[in-house]
Amino acid sequence: MNIAIWIVQGIVALGFIFSGWMKTFQYEKAKASWSWVKEVSRGVVSFIGIAELLGVLGLILPQATNIAPALTPLAAIVLFGAVFHIKRKEYQEIGVISFSWR
């Protein structure tokens, strides 16, 4: 079971690294890929990207270093971004790996 959890954490982390990187450092590419980015300020998009990148650290480091591993589930708070997309009826945007290559 532990191996399965690490695999899931790794896949989720990779998705958030990609997503957070685009939102933080490749704004124009993010704007072309995700329709919602056009409707919020660049600052909000960057904030979300930074939160996702920090969430990756929180997802992996506590468990990997065995320092406060109980904090790892708190990193899942980043997943509350799904609520944003549900409210906007953007169901295709909810998946971590739901992006378009452009």
Side-chain angles (χ1 to χ4, degrees):
M1 182 65 158
N2 199 23
I3 293 172
I5 291 171
W6 274 110
I7 290 170
V8 170
Q9 282 178 274
I11 291 169
V12 170
L14 288 174
F16 280 119
I17 288 170
F18 172 79
S19 176
W21 184 266
M22 275 188 50
K23 289 174 188 139
T24 305
F25 300 109
Q26 297 178 327
Y27 176 75
E28 293 303 319
K29 199 172 185 180
K31 195 159 73 168
S33 296
W34 299 303
S35 60
W36 67 269
V37 173
K38 298 173 192 144
E39 299 173 19
V40 297
S41 73
R42 186 177 187 147
V44 170
V45 174
S46 293
F47 173 76
I48 292 169
I50 290 167
E52 288 178 349
L53 292 172
L54 291 173
V56 169
L57 295 175
L59 191 64
I60 301 294
L61 289 180
Q63 192 84 21
T65 62
N66 204 25
I67 298 173
L71 295 178
T72 297
L74 289 177
I77 289 175
V78 174
L79 298 176
F80 283 116
V83 174
F84 172 81
H85 294 298
I86 290 169
K87 283 183 178 181
R88 297 171 47 90
K89 296 183 171 57
E90 297 173 337
Y91 306 111
Q92 73 281 3
E93 303 284 342
I94 294 172
V96 174
I97 312 293
S98 65
F99 53 83
S100 60
W101 293 91
R102 293 185 186 188

